[in-house]
Amino acid sequence: MKRKIDINSFVAEYAIIMIFIVLFVAMSIFAPNFLSGGNIANVLRQISINGICAIGMTFVMLTGGIDLSVGSIIGVSGVLTAMMMLNGVHPILASLISLVLCTVIGMLTGLLISHIEIPPMVATMGTMTSLRGAAYLITGGTPVFGFTEGYAVIGQGYVGVVPIPVIILAIAFAIGIFFLSKTKYSRYIYGVGGNEEVARLSGVNVHHIKAFVYAVSGFCSALAGLVMLGRLNSGQPRAGESYEMDVITAVVLGGVSLNGGVGKLSHVIFGLLIIGVLTNGMTMMAIDDYWQRVVKGIVLLLAVGFDRFIQKNQQKAD
């Protein structure tokens, strides 16, 4: 029995890393120029926006929730910041206003979920739809451009050979990993996801925790939107559409349970890398975009199935 528990734990802990290594080697063989320095930097830059969102999504999913509004918040934060800069607001102030506003939106969504008990999928789907509509209303459905060109450094600049979006991603992950592994507050997050009623009886303010994690998700999505604004050098009302699929897939691949209470942010990095390498490799092999969507959908199903398989095995072992 002890051996079975050890095997299950080993698979749950290291399977994602082994999958990444196998995929990386396969793409190195079959995708032309995959291992070039420029392409590796490109992969890291491509996953940066999804990666920043994935940090917030991890916080949410650890409590047993889900956030479908991340893509819409990317779009809203970008167009809001662009519009403010066009109207003479300093870029830093415009960015801060967007970050604060989107954080508040996330917090309010969390309060709706915790106080009114709207299911997370329904609440965030409503937020997703409303915010996307707001992005189109703000812009009239057209891109916003003409603001200061210096803002592009956030999405396009480099420090040495390292893209700035990758640096932002690394800093955000370092802060997130520290918070979820070294702070007392993290135990409340895992506790709510593990058993909400037990956490409540233990004195944890569940309403506060849920408002907090959705606020974190709103902040991270807004930050990703600012990076995308710099990358595109224009505020696009369609920015971030369907990003929630890749973000959720990466987080689930990283071992974060859909039921909450289980997962490490450090492993989500490998989930992101798998999605990034897979997308980049398929593009370099000239695989049609429609087939890429099919593959990503299958990967999500496999990730969820694997999560359930591991959980059932561990429950039987216990």
Side-chain angles (χ1 to χ4, degrees), residues 1-315:
M1 184 67 69
K2 183 68 166 62
R3 180 176 177 81
K4 187 174 183 181
I5 295 174
D6 289 341
I7 291 174
N8 286 334
S9 300
F10 178 84
V11 172
E13 186 76 14
Y14 297 108
I16 185 66
I17 299 174
M18 293 185 287
I19 291 170
F20 167 70
I21 293 173
V22 170
L23 180 63
F24 188 87
V25 171
M27 290 302 177
S28 302
I29 296 171
F30 297 109
N33 301 317
F34 175 80
L35 284 178
S36 66
N39 186 61
I40 297 300
N42 189 44
V43 170
L44 294 175
R45 184 168 52 244
Q46 287 173 346
I47 69 170
S48 61
I49 294 173
N50 282 336
I52 295 169
C53 290
I55 297 169
M57 185 70 77
T58 300
F59 274 72
V60 168
M61 290 178 62
L62 284 173
T63 64
I66 198 166
D67 189 355
L68 300 179
S69 67
V70 294
S72 294
I73 293 178
I74 288 175
V76 164
S77 67
V79 297
L80 274 178
T81 305
M83 291 291 288
M84 284 189 283
M85 287 192 291
L86 275 179
N87 285 281
V89 180
H90 191 279
I92 294 178
L93 179 58
S95 300
L96 289 175
I97 291 173
S98 291
L99 287 170
V100 171
L101 181 59
C102 293
T103 301
V104 171
I105 290 172
M107 180 187 69
L108 292 175
T109 302
L111 290 174
L112 286 174
I113 292 168
S114 61
H115 283 280
I116 305 180
E117 298 185 354
I118 300 175
M121 183 171 292
V122 176
T124 57
M125 187 179 296
T127 306
M128 173 185 72
T129 305
S130 299
L131 292 179
R132 185 64 65 187
Y136 280 101
L137 285 172
I138 292 168
T139 62
T142 59
V144 181
F145 53 89
F147 50 88
T148 174
E149 293 183 3
Y151 202 90
V153 70
I154 296 176
Q156 303 176 23
Y158 287 79
V159 174
V161 297
V162 183
I164 288 179
V166 177
I167 295 174
I168 296 173
L169 174 64
I171 293 172
F173 255 104
I175 294 172
I177 290 171
F178 175 83
F179 187 93
L180 288 176
S181 60
K182 300 296 183 181
T183 66
K184 184 184 296 186
Y185 208 73
S186 66
R187 293 203 294 271
Y188 302 152
I189 294 174
Y190 279 94
V192 170
N195 192 313
E196 185 174 320
E197 187 59 28
V198 171
R200 182 181 287 107
L201 293 174
S202 300
V204 176
N205 189 330
V206 175
H207 297 318
H208 181 78
I209 295 297
K210 288 188 176 181
F212 172 73
V213 296
Y214 281 94
V216 171
S217 184
F219 175 86
C220 290
S221 299
L223 179 59
L226 299 182
V227 173
M228 179 170 281
L229 175 63
R231 182 175 174 181
L232 300 175
N233 207 24
S234 65
Q236 301 279 349
R238 294 188 59 182
E241 279 191 350
S242 301
Y243 272 45
E244 54 276 352
M245 174 65 76
D246 282 353
V247 172
I248 293 170
T249 302
V251 175
V252 175
L253 272 174
V256 178
S257 173
L258 288 168
N259 294 325
V262 176
K264 294 180 180 179
L265 186 55
S266 56
H267 284 193
V268 173
I269 296 172
F270 290 97
L272 284 165
L273 287 170
I274 286 173
I275 296 298
V277 167
L278 186 63
T279 302
N280 179 267
M282 288 191 296
T283 300
M284 296 189 75
M285 289 188 288
I287 295 176
D288 187 87
D289 179 64
Y290 299 132
W291 278 109
Q292 291 189 30
R293 296 187 184 191
V294 171
V295 171
K296 288 180 182 178
I298 292 173
V299 168
L300 176 59
L301 290 173
L302 291 174
V304 174
F306 180 75
D307 171 60
R308 296 301 300 156
F309 175 78
I310 291 297
Q311 286 190 40
K312 286 183 178 180
N313 276 2
Q314 288 178 336
Q315 288 171 0

